[in-house]
Amino acid sequence: MKWKQPLLSLKPYQPGRTIEEVKKQYNLEEIVKLASNENPFGCSPKAAGAIRDFSSLLSLYPDGYATKLREAVASHLQVRVEQLIFGDGSDELIQIISRALLHSGTNTVMAEGTFSQYKHNAVIEGSEIREIPLVDGAHNLPAMLAAIDENTSVVWLCSPNNPTGVYINRDEIVAFISKVPKDILVVLDEAYFEYVYAEDYYDALALVREYENMIVLRTFSKIYGLASLRVGYGIANEAIINVLDPARPPFNVNALAQAAAIEAIKDQDFVTRCREANIKGLEQFYQFCEEHQLSYYRSQGNFILIDFACDGNEVFQFLMERGYIVRSGVPLGFPTFVRVTVGSREQNEGVISKMKEFLAAKATLA
């Protein structure tokens, strides 16, 4: 086979362990999954109702332009429908952007210690990858600027960053993008935007209006609780969308997903409740970390990255055997950390109690 050579060096994306898989392996009755940054409160009752009452013919293709969803999102964001592109999750939009702009002879700039799919897709397209290490969990924007040259095609920013949860503030992002050449696309991945509570967070839509070389990515998989249906969207000026859209597969957002997402975005009360519960949940973890003198990153997402000062796989394994699936920091580039999704208050209390057991067990061996 005449494969693309870079593809041969890649492994498929490794998701967190499934609930059923862990139940079977460890003979457990109950599992709490806190590994994939899913919403522990599910989705809006309105979205659930749209799923329950879905009656479209399954033999028909969905609306390839996602017309009604497009109108609902445009109305909520106060943008034009022509400024939107939809994907089978924002993962597909990352793939579309990479397919459209990256190839041999280009380079792409990103953080080292961010969402893996930026690099993954760049490798497939044969682009040179320039990774800039994080500083205290944050993007090193001056160093990223310095890495840009005439062959740079795409710059990736993740705010809040996955897996650290650290965000880029208003002054930082304006200072950065104002210096990026206009022929380079800046991708601002805001998968966790709805969880942000920082007062100096920027207005991404205002940035899109001011800078013609920016696209903002958001998703219905996180706070909206529709991860299994896979709906993501991008917001940019019409010129960018017009060029990107032909690279989008036809009928890529299924009809059920469109129906649920329309109702989900209407229910902002649900979003607010989830954000407020998440802030309280983060405080539970902060208190635990301070009490046990563990380093961590203060997060603007629905997850927290905690340093246990030992092999992250060891912590992961200990918790999994006791019914809590978290994410080891080892494959994320943080070998002594684990990333924990913020759950309900009861779920947080449960996993924290097991973390305390782990620390106590380590202390007896010291």
Side-chain angles (χ1 to χ4, degrees):
M1 295 294 182
K2 300 175 182 179
W3 301 110
K4 284 184 175 180
Q5 286 304 305
L7 188 61
L8 301 179
S9 66
L10 288 175
K11 294 181 180 179
Y13 180 78
Q14 296 296 317
R17 299 284 298 273
T18 67
I19 290 174
E20 291 307 316
E21 180 184 2
V22 174
K23 275 186 178 180
K24 182 177 180 180
Q25 182 174 358
Y26 297 103
N27 194 30
L28 295 168
E29 293 290 327
E30 186 176 349
I31 298 292
V32 176
K33 186 184 177 196
L34 300 172
S36 301
N37 304 339
E38 296 146 329
N39 189 338
F41 306 108
C43 65
S44 160
K46 295 180 181 179
I51 296 168
R52 183 178 57 251
D53 299 336
F54 184 75
S55 59
S56 294
L57 291 174
L58 297 181
S59 60
L60 301 181
Y61 286 108
D63 175 4
Y65 192 62
T67 304
K68 292 182 179 179
L69 175 58
R70 185 178 298 269
E71 291 171 349
V73 173
S75 175
H76 174 67
L77 299 179
Q78 293 297 289
V79 299
R80 297 184 300 279
V81 294
E82 296 84 4
Q83 289 183 262
L84 298 172
I85 183 171
F86 289 86
D88 185 27
S90 54
D91 298 321
E92 185 182 45
L93 295 175
I94 293 167
Q95 184 181 56
I96 289 169
I97 291 166
S98 301
R99 183 181 182 189
L101 285 161
L102 300 181
H103 52 82
S104 178
T106 66
N107 68 66
T108 180
V109 178
M110 64 192 70
E112 181 182 21
T114 192
F115 186 46
S116 63
Q117 291 305 287
Y118 313 144
K119 181 177 181 178
H120 185 94
N121 282 284
V123 170
I124 293 173
E125 301 302 335
S127 182
E128 178 193 348
I129 297 158
R130 297 183 175 180
E131 292 182 281
I132 309 302
L134 298 171
V135 176
D136 296 326
H139 286 64
N140 186 342
L141 296 179
M144 292 180 77
L145 270 176
I148 293 172
D149 63 19
E150 67 277 7
N151 294 319
T152 304
S153 188
V154 181
V155 177
W156 306 90
L157 304 176
C158 186
S159 179
N161 184 49
N162 177 13
T164 62
V166 178
Y167 71 107
I168 303 170
N169 71 35
R170 186 184 307 111
D171 292 342
E172 291 169 337
I173 199 164
V174 170
F176 176 81
I177 194 171
S178 63
K179 296 175 184 175
V180 175
K182 301 307 178 188
D183 62 345
I184 296 172
L185 183 65
V186 177
V187 181
L188 182 55
D189 188 346
E190 287 195 311
Y192 301 93
F193 160 74
E194 291 86 359
Y195 285 108
V196 173
Y197 58 91
E199 293 183 359
D200 61 346
Y201 198 70
Y202 52 82
D203 180 347
L205 302 185
L207 294 174
V208 166
R209 289 192 294 271
E210 185 171 355
Y211 299 100
E212 295 183 354
N213 59 327
M214 170 173 277
I215 185 168
V216 175
L217 305 184
R218 292 181 181 172
T219 183
F220 283 90
S221 293
K222 301 305 179 184
I223 208 165
Y224 288 106
L226 298 177
S228 68
L229 294 182
R230 315 303 300 125
V231 189
Y233 61 97
I235 314 142
N237 68 69
E238 293 173 36
I240 288 176
I241 300 300
N242 287 340
V243 179
L244 277 181
D245 209 37
R248 176 181 59 82
F251 313 112
N252 60 329
V253 180
N254 70 74
L256 179 58
Q258 291 184 38
I262 288 168
E263 295 305 315
I265 205 163
K266 292 178 183 177
D267 194 352
Q268 291 301 308
D269 288 341
F270 175 80
V271 171
T272 299
R273 290 195 300 273
C274 291
R275 182 191 304 111
E276 291 174 351
N278 187 71
I279 293 169
K280 293 177 182 177
L282 283 169
E283 289 297 334
Q284 290 178 266
F285 286 102
Y286 296 158
Q287 183 178 345
F288 160 71
C289 291
E290 296 290 345
E291 184 181 318
H292 293 275
Q293 298 181 317
L294 300 177
S295 297
Y296 65 97
Y297 294 106
R298 293 189 71 86
S299 176
Q300 294 288 324
N302 67 331
F303 54 89
I304 182 170
L305 192 64
I306 303 173
D307 188 358
F308 282 82
C310 65
D311 185 349
N313 285 337
E314 185 181 354
V315 187
F316 162 79
Q317 186 67 32
F318 182 94
L319 296 175
M320 183 169 59
E321 290 176 3
R322 288 154 181 81
Y324 289 89
I325 310 173
V326 300
R327 193 74 186 267
S328 169
V330 173
L332 303 177
F334 295 83
T336 62
F337 289 71
V338 294
R339 190 191 69 191
V340 188
T341 302
V342 177
S344 67
R345 181 173 185 81
E346 294 74 22
Q347 290 171 338
N348 299 336
E349 289 173 349
V351 73
I352 286 170
S353 72
K354 298 304 177 185
M355 289 176 175
K356 289 178 178 179
E357 287 182 19
F358 175 82
L359 292 173
K362 290 290 286 185
T364 61
L365 297 175

